Amino acid sequence: MMLRTKIQEIPIYHDNKRVTCMKFLRQLLCILTIVTSIPNTHASQNQYTLNQERLKNIDNVINQAINNEELPGAVVLIGQHNKIVYEKAFGNRALEPYIEPMTLDTIFDIASLTKIFTASAIVQLAERGLIRINVPVSTYIPEFGKNEKEKITIEQLLVHSSGLIADNPEEDYMFGYEKAFENIYNLAPLQEPGTKFIYSDVNYIVLGELIKKISGQTLDTYIQENILNKLTMHETMFVPEESLYPRIAPTEYRDNTIIRGQVHDPRAYLLSGIAGHAGLFSTARDLAKFCFLFLDNKNTQESHVLSNLAIQRMIKAHAITPTQSRGLGWDIDTQFSSYRGDFFANTFGHTGFTGTSIVIDPASKIFIIILSNRVHPNRTGNVVSLRAKIANIVASALS
């Protein structure tokens, strides 16, 4: 508006229909000087670059963590805007029954990272007009409304404010699919819905069933057809084929046998490997495609997964308590947010129990994917500190 006004105010003097050019040019030069001095805030917000020399510190901290037996190995991938800027494999993907080196194409059990795909599917169904996010779950699953759960909304499941237990007993899943959900529907909230943050696998098991009931497809089929295929994530799947087992990072022992190609989470395992809270397997390259969707969403008619407004809704902070907030599926600021390190502030992300994590920083257009099988071979590994250290290194490399 300032520029338009100044141009409109430039007097052009006519003398016998001749323009006094010199005066006009002097005034134009003055305006151009003003315009070029105005900072381009849009460009400055997106001109972050990464110092590759500083990123080499990632090698040091991961190798030290491997030496300390915090994890057997890992794949780390960093993306910015629409390209991969760092990608490296470390250590081993298997220690037992024999050692296998880690490779970039290793397939990991991504554990609770499954939840952000389930949340994306729920939001997608809302975009299609098939559900509303802020209505009670019992609107679509009447059986869920028992025992003071009739007012729990889909949104409360998504942000973990339903008040439901974190995990109901494994025994509740041992007598078949229908009985497992009957047991869930008989649960009562531990807290008044909407008042407390309780990170709950039960929430997302219910959301997975909701997707099935509304879409008429099994959860794995719906996510495959409506998210994974559209993003060309061809190495992401529930229940991997046995031909892929050699590339899959094993986890711990189950019934005296190393788990490989079967989901690590015990409840997802009892639900035949397909559940809303856990069960997906993926590679770092495939997960990068999902991260790019949330950084630079460029839909075509064929590849549409989520609209820009839907993505903004998913990553918007929803305050559950004065000190804790979640997005729809994404962690924003809770006791689980240490993965973002000490310097990134306005991020969104998620972690997985097996040793996986994603963190996305919209300001710098950076994302960090860390995939490990820290539970291999005996669940003694721990990558909580490592995630934060890697995030700090990436933050320090930004300029």
Side-chain angles (χ1 to χ4, degrees):
M1 291 299 292
M2 182 184 297
L3 179 58
R4 184 179 297 117
T5 301
K6 287 183 177 295
I7 291 174
Q8 289 172 346
E9 290 175 354
I10 297 172
I12 302 177
Y13 298 99
H14 293 266
D15 181 16
N16 296 327
K17 299 183 179 181
R18 290 180 300 173
V19 178
T20 311
C21 293
M22 291 302 294
K23 189 170 185 178
F24 170 72
L25 289 173
R26 283 196 300 269
Q27 292 172 334
L28 181 60
L29 180 60
C30 179
I31 290 173
L32 289 174
T33 301
I34 294 171
V35 171
T36 55
S37 68
I38 298 173
N40 186 341
T41 55
H42 178 75
S44 64
Q45 289 173 354
N46 294 299
Q47 288 180 343
Y48 289 92
T49 59
L50 279 168
N51 183 313
Q52 292 294 324
E53 193 65 27
R54 289 187 178 181
L55 290 181
K56 291 180 181 178
N57 289 321
I58 293 174
D59 300 34
N60 299 331
V61 298
I62 293 184
N63 288 326
Q64 184 61 54
I66 291 171
N67 290 337
N68 292 341
E69 298 184 354
E70 296 170 20
L71 71 168
V75 174
V76 177
L77 186 150
I78 301 168
Q80 185 175 32
H81 295 291
N82 60 354
K83 63 181 180 180
I84 294 169
V85 295
Y86 177 97
E87 184 181 27
K88 195 165 183 178
F90 299 88
N92 299 299
R93 69 172 165 225
L95 299 177
E96 296 182 13
Y98 47 84
I99 292 176
E100 299 173 37
M102 186 67 75
T103 59
L104 291 175
D105 65 348
T106 297
I107 300 169
F108 292 83
D109 177 341
I110 63 172
S112 283
L113 295 187
T114 302
K115 291 182 174 73
I116 54 180
F117 289 86
T118 299
S120 297
I122 289 289
V123 172
Q124 201 177 65
L125 291 173
E127 283 197 288
R128 296 174 181 180
L130 298 175
I131 60 172
R132 291 291 310 281
I133 290 173
N134 62 350
V135 303
V137 179
S138 58
T139 305
Y140 307 104
I141 307 178
E143 312 94 293
F144 178 82
K146 300 177 184 177
N147 297 328
E148 301 180 344
K149 300 194 304 300
E150 67 278 359
K151 293 184 179 180
I152 293 176
T153 66
I154 294 172
E155 183 170 13
Q156 288 169 340
L157 295 182
L158 286 165
V159 302
H160 296 289
S161 66
S162 69
L164 290 173
I165 192 171
D167 287 301
N168 56 324
E170 289 180 37
E171 291 76 14
D172 286 359
Y173 298 84
M174 288 182 172
F175 303 100
Y177 190 91
E178 297 300 325
K179 183 62 177 177
F181 279 93
E182 181 182 331
N183 290 330
I184 289 174
Y185 298 153
N186 285 330
L187 292 173
L190 300 178
Q191 301 287 337
E192 179 70 20
T195 63
K196 188 173 182 180
F197 171 61
I198 302 175
Y199 181 83
S200 169
D201 286 345
V202 174
N203 288 337
Y204 276 76
I205 292 172
V206 174
L207 289 171
E209 180 69 0
L210 178 61
I211 292 166
K212 179 181 176 182
K213 286 187 177 294
I214 297 300
S215 70
Q217 296 179 296
T218 58
L219 176 64
D220 58 328
T221 299
Y222 182 89
I223 287 180
Q224 187 74 52
E225 292 183 0
N226 294 277
I227 298 176
L228 303 180
N229 288 351
K230 290 181 180 294
L231 294 175
T232 66
M233 295 177 66
H234 299 316
E235 296 207 299
T236 304
M237 75 295 288
F238 291 94
V239 192
E241 297 178 0
E242 287 191 24
S243 61
L244 296 173
Y245 282 15
R247 283 173 49 206
I248 295 176
T251 53
E252 61 179 314
Y253 282 89
R254 178 187 288 141
D255 300 327
N256 298 317
T257 303
I258 285 285
I259 302 168
R260 189 165 200 163
Q262 295 179 331
V263 63
H264 174 268
D265 181 89
R267 292 163 185 81
Y269 176 71
L270 292 169
L271 291 170
S272 302
I274 302 167
H277 71 297
L280 276 175
F281 289 74
S282 190
T283 64
R285 280 272 175 144
D286 253 23
L287 290 176
K289 296 175 183 178
F290 190 72
C291 293
F292 286 133
L293 171 70
F294 281 84
L295 273 185
D296 189 19
N297 183 22
K298 293 181 179 178
N299 284 305
T300 65
Q301 187 172 354
E302 295 77 19
S303 68
H304 179 93
V305 175
L306 293 166
S307 69
N308 289 320
L309 286 177
I311 287 173
Q312 292 306 309
R313 179 69 175 84
M314 288 186 71
I315 65 177
K316 180 181 178 181
H318 178 108
I320 302 169
T321 71
T323 59
Q324 295 175 308
S325 59
R326 297 280 299 196
L328 303 185
W330 294 99
D331 178 67
I332 305 294
D333 189 8
T334 66
Q335 67 263 37
F336 300 109
S337 303
S338 65
Y339 58 83
R340 69 186 180 195
D342 303 308
F343 306 117
F344 285 118
N346 299 309
T347 65
F348 56 96
H350 213 288
T351 61
F353 184 83
T354 51
T356 58
S357 63
I358 291 174
V359 59
I360 301 177
D361 178 49
S364 61
K365 301 293 185 181
I366 288 280
F367 64 82
I368 307 166
I369 297 169
I370 303 171
L371 298 183
S372 79
N373 53 337
R374 64 98 188 169
V375 294
H376 178 72
N378 51 20
R379 201 188 279 210
T380 58
N382 190 323
V383 294
V384 173
S385 178
L386 178 62
R387 289 169 177 151
K389 289 176 182 177
I390 292 172
N392 282 353
I393 292 168
V394 175
S396 75
L398 282 170
S399 59

